[in-house]
Amino acid sequence: MSNAVESNAVEIYELEKTYEGGTRALKGIELAIAEGDFFALLGPNGAGKSTTIGILCSLVNKTAGSVRVFGHDLDRDRAWVKAQIGVVPQEFNFNQFEPVEEVVINQGGFYGMTRKAAKKRAHELLKQLGLYDKREGMARALSGGMKRRLMIARALVHDPRMLILDEPTAGVDIELRRGMWDFLTQINKQGTTIILTTHYLEEAEALCRNIAIINEGRIVEHNSMRNLLAKLSQETFVLYAREPVESLPEMPVVGSRLIDDETIEVDLNRDQELTGVFDVLRGHGIVIERMKNKTSRLEELFLRLVQDDDAAINAEERS
Amino acid sequence: MSIRSQSDAFDHQGPGEKAVGLTPRGAWNAFLMLLTREILRFGRIWVQTVLPPMIMTALYFVVFGHLIGPRIGEIDGVPYIQYLVPGLILMSVITQSYANSVSSFFGAKFARHVEELLVSPMPNWLIIVGYVAGGVARGLTVGAAVTIVALLFAELSVHSVLNLFGVALMTSILFALGGLINAVYATHFDHISIVPTFVLTPLTYLGGVFYSINMLSEFWQQASLYNPILYIINGFRYAMLGISDVPIWSTYAILAVGILIAYFYLLRLFNKGIGLRG
């Protein structure tokens, strides 16, 4: 890992966490996240994502290692570090029996804002997130998607330099999810560093510039999204024919198969082009009406990295 | 320019410099916000928080004061119904201060909105002070409401205003701290009623709310002196009626030592994250 630089929003060194009962959630992870980055932290359930985020937000005590946020040591300047961070947790953690605007205003107060300033800021954020009309109603009456947006408003009330989102779009419908993506992209462009954990890998692919994959408490990949996706050598496309297809012709691809009489799957290397496939099919009178990429590219890579890491751990344990 | 850079609530130190989270003004704003939230919380549910102790006190006055009291006569030269007043007021202060802290903080833990505070730059001592202030607000509000009820049944007298407010305030601080300790350790809703039911209520009832320890046998008089609530209730009775089974300094000593022990113990729990952080 490179030496620490002041422009990093987060620097994590040899971070370890062992919970009471002996579970080792983190096994000496190292991570650097640049200021202004839109960063994805991915991993299977129980990999250590939420523990890492919990330590950053001071909700979990670390066992060993050190964490620096914007150049300040978390142990030494904990309160200062907390003031730089806004958190959107995975589960709803606001008082459901408070009015919507009070949830946001209170949080502003806990960050030292006057009630007047917190209220003004809360109203701005509630307008931006489409919750202004609901501001006087009880928080429990909001839909799931609205509750997620309320937590984003709450996390931003003190204008943090870094926003941490743990599964922010879980249970949110596609339209709302896209709206949240646009909002997050906008505040990232304004300079807010964003760290995101998500199970929707397409979300990470669409939003994030850099990524770390964590598995069994260890970082197994830490790279830019572009470099990571470049590691993929093969992609699978699904083609839908206009008329039923009896058999497939030879095509300049790694592999091809007929799924049903109107659906064809083709596997291509990165240096192979789809136009060659279309040319051959058209030559045999097969017209393709539409097509799609079968898997999320990131999902494929994610699975491969995690499976490789699991295999390495198993081999290590056997030896 | 961002809100952050305009705010005087934050410390704007650069990397490498020692930095604190909140300025004194920011800390004051945070305290006010937490206190306001607590007051609004118990105010919203006044039917559950303020009304029941008023009804309970009225029943005590009817049963013990009006029906049984005349048969008891006077204690230390004071009619029994009047003798009851300080104990009943302070009993409400004790139970309500405790109840506010324990239910509010445990509720926040249970629903996880305690995390709103734990991720904020509020220092642990300020979170404790905010919750205790909420407990004090409810304890003294209910104490005042019960005093109004008492006016309907008995003549009120005040021997020492300073001691009246001093003992009431310190009592509510002590029991709000106690409720907070209970809430930190509690992991189920059952846990927040164990101490009030099995510890607080017996000690309060046996702490001289309804009688003077001079009415007890020598053994039970001595045994009662090990009950700290006896000193607190008698201190308040002294402030109202000028009579007490114990000297007033012992009331303040018990309260001051209790507050210091409870506060520093609680601060240690918060700093270590016991019951709060993973």
Side-chain angles (χ1 to χ4, degrees), chain B residues 157-161 163 237-243:
Chain B
S157 61
V158 177
H159 177 72
S160 163
V161 175
N163 284 326
R237 184 169 287 131
Y238 172 80
M240 289 193 83
L241 303 174
I243 56 171

Short mmCIF file of all heavy atoms in Angstrom, two decimals, chain B residues 157-161 163 237-243:
data_model
loop_
_atom_site.label_atom_id
_atom_site.label_comp_id
_atom_site.label_asym_id
_atom_site.label_seq_id
_atom_site.Cartn_x
_atom_site.Cartn_y
_atom_site.Cartn_z
N SER B 157 -46.79 23.62 53.16
CA SER B 157 -45.92 24.58 53.81
C SER B 157 -44.50 24.36 53.32
O SER B 157 -44.13 23.26 52.93
CB SER B 157 -45.98 24.42 55.32
OG SER B 157 -45.55 23.13 55.67
N VAL B 158 -43.74 25.44 53.29
CA VAL B 158 -42.33 25.33 52.87
C VAL B 158 -41.47 25.90 54.00
O VAL B 158 -41.58 27.07 54.34
CB VAL B 158 -42.09 26.10 51.56
CG1 VAL B 158 -40.62 26.04 51.18
CG2 VAL B 158 -42.94 25.52 50.43
N HIS B 159 -40.61 25.04 54.52
CA HIS B 159 -39.71 25.46 55.60
C HIS B 159 -38.47 26.13 55.03
O HIS B 159 -37.99 27.13 55.57
CB HIS B 159 -39.33 24.23 56.43
CG HIS B 159 -38.35 24.51 57.51
ND1 HIS B 159 -38.68 25.20 58.66
CD2 HIS B 159 -37.03 24.19 57.63
CE1 HIS B 159 -37.61 25.30 59.44
NE2 HIS B 159 -36.60 24.69 58.83
N SER B 160 -37.95 25.58 53.92
CA SER B 160 -36.73 26.13 53.31
C SER B 160 -36.79 25.96 51.79
O SER B 160 -36.69 24.84 51.28
CB SER B 160 -35.49 25.41 53.86
OG SER B 160 -34.38 25.64 53.03
N VAL B 161 -36.97 27.07 51.08
CA VAL B 161 -37.10 27.03 49.61
C VAL B 161 -35.83 26.48 48.97
O VAL B 161 -35.88 25.65 48.05
CB VAL B 161 -37.41 28.44 49.06
CG1 VAL B 161 -37.44 28.44 47.54
CG2 VAL B 161 -38.72 28.95 49.60
N ASN B 163 -33.53 24.44 50.19
CA ASN B 163 -33.42 22.99 50.37
C ASN B 163 -34.47 22.26 49.53
O ASN B 163 -34.21 21.17 49.02
CB ASN B 163 -33.58 22.62 51.84
CG ASN B 163 -32.33 22.93 52.63
OD1 ASN B 163 -31.22 22.82 52.11
ND2 ASN B 163 -32.49 23.35 53.87
N ARG B 237 -38.58 16.29 53.29
CA ARG B 237 -39.58 16.56 54.32
C ARG B 237 -39.12 17.71 55.23
O ARG B 237 -39.91 18.56 55.63
CB ARG B 237 -39.84 15.30 55.16
CG ARG B 237 -40.93 15.48 56.19
CD ARG B 237 -41.35 14.17 56.82
NE ARG B 237 -42.14 13.35 55.90
CZ ARG B 237 -41.92 12.07 55.64
NH1 ARG B 237 -40.92 11.44 56.23
NH2 ARG B 237 -42.69 11.43 54.81
N TYR B 238 -37.82 17.72 55.48
CA TYR B 238 -37.26 18.82 56.29
C TYR B 238 -37.48 20.15 55.55
O TYR B 238 -37.86 21.15 56.15
CB TYR B 238 -35.77 18.58 56.55
CG TYR B 238 -35.09 19.75 57.20
CD1 TYR B 238 -35.21 19.97 58.58
CD2 TYR B 238 -34.36 20.67 56.44
CE1 TYR B 238 -34.61 21.07 59.18
CE2 TYR B 238 -33.77 21.76 57.03
CZ TYR B 238 -33.90 21.96 58.40
OH TYR B 238 -33.32 23.06 59.00
N ALA B 239 -37.21 20.12 54.22
CA ALA B 239 -37.36 21.35 53.44
C ALA B 239 -38.79 21.86 53.45
O ALA B 239 -39.04 23.06 53.47
CB ALA B 239 -36.91 21.10 52.00
N MET B 240 -39.77 20.94 53.51
CA MET B 240 -41.17 21.37 53.48
C MET B 240 -41.73 21.63 54.87
O MET B 240 -42.42 22.62 55.11
CB MET B 240 -42.04 20.31 52.78
CG MET B 240 -41.80 20.25 51.28
SD MET B 240 -43.06 19.30 50.42
CE MET B 240 -44.35 20.53 50.26
N LEU B 241 -41.45 20.68 55.80
CA LEU B 241 -42.12 20.75 57.10
C LEU B 241 -41.21 21.12 58.26
O LEU B 241 -41.69 21.38 59.37
CB LEU B 241 -42.78 19.39 57.41
CG LEU B 241 -43.77 18.86 56.36
CD1 LEU B 241 -44.23 17.45 56.73
CD2 LEU B 241 -44.97 19.79 56.23
N GLY B 242 -39.89 21.07 58.01
CA GLY B 242 -38.94 21.38 59.08
C GLY B 242 -38.72 20.22 60.03
O GLY B 242 -38.15 20.41 61.11
N ILE B 243 -39.19 19.02 59.69
CA ILE B 243 -38.97 17.84 60.54
C ILE B 243 -38.27 16.75 59.72
O ILE B 243 -38.48 16.65 58.52
CB ILE B 243 -40.29 17.27 61.12
CG1 ILE B 243 -41.28 16.95 59.98
CG2 ILE B 243 -40.90 18.22 62.14
CD1 ILE B 243 -42.52 16.20 60.43
#
